[in-house]
Amino acid sequence: MTLASPIQALSITLANCAKTWPDGTRALEPLDLGVRAGETLALLGPSGCGKTTLLRMICGLEETDAGGSIRFGNDDVTRVAPEARGVGVVFQGYALFPNMNVAQNVGYGLKIRGVDVETRRKRVMEMLELVELEALAERRVDRLSGGQRQRVALARAIAIEPRVLLLDEPLTALDARLRQQLRVDLAALLRKLGITCVIVTHDQEEAMMLGDRVAVMSAGRLEQIGQPETLYREPASPFVADFIGTLCRLQGSVVSAHHGVESLSFRPYEIRLGPPGNGLEANIVARFYLGSHIRFELVLDDGQPFTALAEPDAPWQPGERVAINLTQSRTAKEPAPC
Amino acid sequence: MGRRAWLIIAIPAITLFVAFWLLPMAKLAGLGAATPQGMDVSAYWLVLTQPRYWQSLANTVGLSLAATLATLAIALPVSRFLARHPAFPGRRVLMSLLIFPLAFPGVVVGFLVILATGRQGVLNTLAKALSGEPMVLAYGMAGLFIGYLYFLLPRTIGVLMAAVEGIDRHWLEAAQTLGASPWRRFVDIELPALTSALTAAGAMCFATAMGAFGTVFTLGTKIDVLPITIYDEFTNYANIPVAAALSVVLGLATWAALYIANTLANRSASAR
């Protein structure tokens, strides 16, 4: 292994990969997934949707059911053990070795590879500089803050010049404010490295910020894969629409009388409120002033609730009746193109 | 809390300590310094110079050390297996069987060893049937060794299982994705994580073995270990000074061995 060589990005190709647990439960339905070389793909979904299982299959800690195949570039790694796969993994909770200090943690993969002490020391310092932790090389890992641990775990994973980088909920263990900052840092670092990367997260915003593309998963299935914008504007299923941002759905005779369709679905900001007497009407239940906009909770006459976002100068108050017009709407009859 | 309030708690504690530890120990140590009947030197001098006592001390330390190391060597893989396989058919039964001898007094353990490896024992019957040669282990060093394993293993397996369960699975997986073979993962990650549990379990085994009496007594071997020698001096010869001196030596030898083990464990932990 030559340490000076730049990371060469490889694509990841999963074909017909399924996972069934020994007790017969299906964790993953057979799926095909391609991650382009140098791309960051975010696997997004609620807990239990199979995203972590999918990640563990890519690094080899779980085997795919018979018939599945995983390739890194042109190299079939389906039956290659995790030790030999050359993947860098950042585990949820980071899994730093408690009996080693920061530098020993980062250098462990190199030590295993028999890299000599001097080269190893250089490489470790290089990695620590990259994550801005060079001052903490000798520190014990239990004396690190959450954010520092996350960066040590990342440095340890990329020190071995992995063929692909896998991150399992890399920011979940951190508090909200720190998470915001590290998201930006991590996005910048991944871009700088140019390595093919898969990130598992249950946080929609995190997925959209870090992923060049986002794959939404639900109940062991891949629901949709695409750029964040595409997923948001043209969700392929109600699940995706609901998981990526808020989606309101209205249906029934009140809706069909005015719009001639069975149901309407729209984002809260895709609605305009106006004086009553003009189209579909609703009653304002609550009004929340949020600075950049006002959030209204409304109900139709038949009791269906929904949410609308309006400009911060919107005059409407709770108890008032307003007309609602859709600026840009999708209906159930005309599903959005994928 | 004020100084006075501390005194209220400290006085009973100190009284208990003095009454039940310090005074009897001082008395014991003092007894050892006395001159046994018909001798012209103190019991400590006798104990340190007579080969009979030396031999007994060497037997005790050697046997205890061997039994401790063997116990750890057997208990570690067994504990790892049990901790890593929380559900397999028969696991509960196996666990119960392993823990069962825990409550047995040494006498019963000794009897079990006789049943297994004595003259009428299972092993001897089998050996005679298969090769025609008798095989009796119960009344020698091997019998003692087996007896010690009997009562040390159940104690150790429980302790080590808890320690293995405390190892984060993700540490091992992280090492694996970094390229570590199963052996390297065991040496680099698992063993360091188990060092304190192994030291604690080893110390407990060693101290228990050093003081074991019932098993040896039941087996009635020719081999003397210190607890038996003390018993003999005390009851058969009424040689209280020598019994007391031997007790102090037994205590000191155990303490010294544990001290060395602890120091080594700490050194290896900080060297990493």
Side-chain angles (χ1 to χ4, degrees):
Chain A
M1 169 174 165
T2 50
L3 289 169
S5 68
I7 288 173
Q8 196 182 358
L10 287 172
S11 63
I12 306 173
T13 316
L14 280 79
N16 196 29
C17 283
K19 183 70 198 176
T20 313
W21 299 123
D23 67 2
T25 12
R26 212 44 177 316
L28 272 183
E29 300 296 332
L31 62 79
D32 300 324
L33 179 70
V35 188
R36 297 169 194 142
E39 176 187 48
T40 298
L41 178 78
L43 290 177
L44 174 67
S47 61
C49 71
K51 57 192 191 300
T52 295
T53 307
L54 185 57
L55 190 88
R56 290 173 62 84
M57 270 169 33
I58 299 174
C59 64
L61 291 169
E62 302 290 351
E63 282 194 11
T64 69
D65 289 354
S69 89
I70 301 172
R71 276 182 297 130
F72 293 167
N74 293 321
D75 191 4
D76 188 335
V77 297
T78 316
R79 300 283 163 239
V80 177
E83 312 66 316
R85 239 177 236 207
V87 289
V89 187
V90 173
F91 288 84
Q92 187 170 8
Y94 312 134
L96 299 180
F97 306 134
N99 56 316
M100 302 180 197
N101 67 20
V102 168
Q104 288 166 330
N105 261 281
V106 175
Y108 184 72
L110 303 172
K111 189 175 157 193
I112 290 288
R113 282 162 175 70
V115 176
D116 68 274
V117 179
E118 191 46 36
T119 321
R120 204 158 80 204
R121 202 188 56 80
K122 262 197 216 148
R123 175 80 180 160
V124 167
M125 285 321 284
E126 228 174 86
M127 288 298 110
L128 289 178
E129 267 166 44
L130 192 65
V131 296
E132 294 169 11
L133 283 178
E134 57 271 47
L136 302 183
E138 300 300 320
R139 184 155 303 185
R140 285 174 47 158
V141 293
D142 57 3
R143 303 261 163 82
L144 297 176
S145 71
Q148 289 165 343
R149 280 170 205 227
Q150 189 261 350
R151 286 183 281 158
V152 174
L154 191 62
R156 183 177 68 179
I158 54 182
I160 58 168
E161 300 198 331
R163 298 200 282 178
V164 301
L165 181 63
L166 309 172
L167 310 157
D168 189 2
E169 302 273 8
L171 303 172
T172 305
L174 309 171
D175 61 72
R177 188 174 284 270
L178 188 59
R179 200 152 63 214
Q180 292 286 354
Q181 179 53 43
L182 285 182
R183 237 179 239 164
V184 178
D185 294 352
L186 186 58
L189 184 62
L190 292 178
R191 209 156 299 133
K192 189 164 153 192
L193 289 172
I195 190 171
T196 313
C197 177
V198 178
I199 296 182
V200 158
T201 176
H202 67 276
D203 184 321
Q204 174 238 135
E205 204 176 305
E206 199 167 295
M208 293 173 92
M209 276 181 73
L210 294 171
D212 296 318
R213 287 189 304 156
V214 176
V216 181
M217 294 183 65
S218 148
R221 271 178 235 283
L222 198 57
E223 291 276 337
Q224 188 178 2
I225 179 165
Q227 290 177 343
E229 233 178 291
T230 318
L231 292 186
Y232 195 79
R233 293 189 181 283
E234 295 151 25
S237 67
F239 179 86
V240 175
D242 203 31
F243 204 77
I244 307 266
T246 312
L247 186 79
C248 300
R249 293 191 79 200
L250 297 174
Q251 52 196 357
S253 54
V254 191
V255 175
S256 53
H258 283 91
H259 291 270
V261 291
E262 274 168 21
S263 75
L264 280 176
S265 47
F266 52 87
R267 304 278 184 196
Y269 62 82
E270 292 173 326
I271 221 168
R272 289 272 176 277
L273 304 182
N278 181 18
L280 189 56
E281 291 181 11
N283 293 308
I284 297 176
V285 178
R287 174 187 194 269
F288 302 101
Y289 180 77
L290 297 172
S292 60
H293 57 269
I294 296 177
R295 178 183 166 131
F296 288 104
E297 297 297 334
L298 306 106
V299 284
L300 290 184
D301 287 338
D302 62 0
Q304 292 185 68
F306 64 100
T307 304
L309 297 182
E311 297 295 314
D313 56 358
W316 323 107
Q317 295 296 329
E320 285 184 330
R321 194 169 171 79
V322 288
I324 54 172
N325 290 293
L326 302 183
T327 50
Q328 218 186 346
S329 68
R330 273 181 306 276
T331 64
K333 270 188 177 169
E334 307 170 273
C338 296
Chain B
M1 209 185 282
R3 199 166 274 226
R4 218 162 265 194
W6 274 114
L7 274 179
I8 294 171
I9 296 171
I11 286 171
I14 292 170
T15 315
L16 277 175
F17 176 74
V18 170
F20 291 98
W21 201 94
L22 203 57
L23 287 181
M25 280 296 174
K27 182 76 180 154
L28 190 72
L31 274 175
T35 308
Q37 249 179 344
M39 298 284 173
D40 46 10
V41 288
S42 86
Y44 283 122
W45 185 252
L46 278 179
V47 163
L48 291 177
T49 49
Q50 293 219 350
R52 187 159 71 91
Y53 301 127
W54 262 112
Q55 189 58 48
S56 174
L57 179 64
N59 283 346
T60 317
V61 173
L63 185 59
S64 300
L65 205 58
T68 299
L69 294 177
T71 301
L72 293 180
I74 297 170
L76 184 56
V78 173
S79 311
R80 278 181 86 218
F81 179 83
L82 289 171
R84 299 269 158 79
H85 298 83
F88 61 86
R91 184 181 190 274
R92 277 161 170 259
V93 179
L94 181 61
M95 285 296 295
S96 314
L97 293 179
L98 283 172
I99 304 300
F100 194 65
L102 205 54
F104 284 171
V107 183
V108 180
V109 172
F111 187 57
L112 286 173
V113 174
I114 292 173
L115 286 181
T117 63
R119 273 176 216 100
Q120 262 84 48
V122 183
L123 188 69
N124 197 23
T125 317
L126 264 177
K128 273 197 234 163
L130 290 178
S131 65
E133 292 289 310
M135 190 178 226
V136 177
L137 301 176
Y139 317 104
M141 206 45 130
L144 284 181
F145 183 75
I146 293 167
Y148 280 34
L149 288 188
Y150 241 107
F151 61 77
L152 293 180
L153 274 172
R155 288 164 171 77
T156 312
I157 288 174
V159 174
L160 290 187
M161 253 180 78
V164 173
E165 279 163 4
I167 295 178
D168 189 340
R169 183 179 55 111
H170 284 145
W171 294 339
L172 300 173
E173 290 183 346
Q176 194 177 3
T177 57
L178 289 169
S181 62
W183 174 248
R184 285 305 293 264
R185 299 201 289 275
F186 177 70
V187 172
D188 293 342
I189 314 297
E190 260 189 80
L191 270 188
L194 292 175
T195 305
S196 57
L198 283 171
T199 317
M204 189 205 47
C205 283
F206 185 74
T208 312
M210 286 290 283
F213 176 76
T215 308
V216 198
F217 192 71
T218 312
L219 291 174
T221 59
K222 294 271 180 315
I223 302 158
D224 268 348
V225 290
L226 270 184
I228 296 287
T229 313
I230 294 171
Y231 175 82
D232 279 345
E233 295 294 337
F234 198 72
T235 56
N236 297 347
Y237 313 121
N239 194 348
I240 299 198
V242 167
L246 284 173
S247 308
V248 172
V249 168
L250 176 65
L252 286 177
T254 310
W255 178 83
L258 296 186
Y259 182 80
I260 292 168
N262 242 327
T263 311
L264 288 179
N266 282 341
R267 190 177 302 165
S268 76
S270 59
R272 262 187 292 270

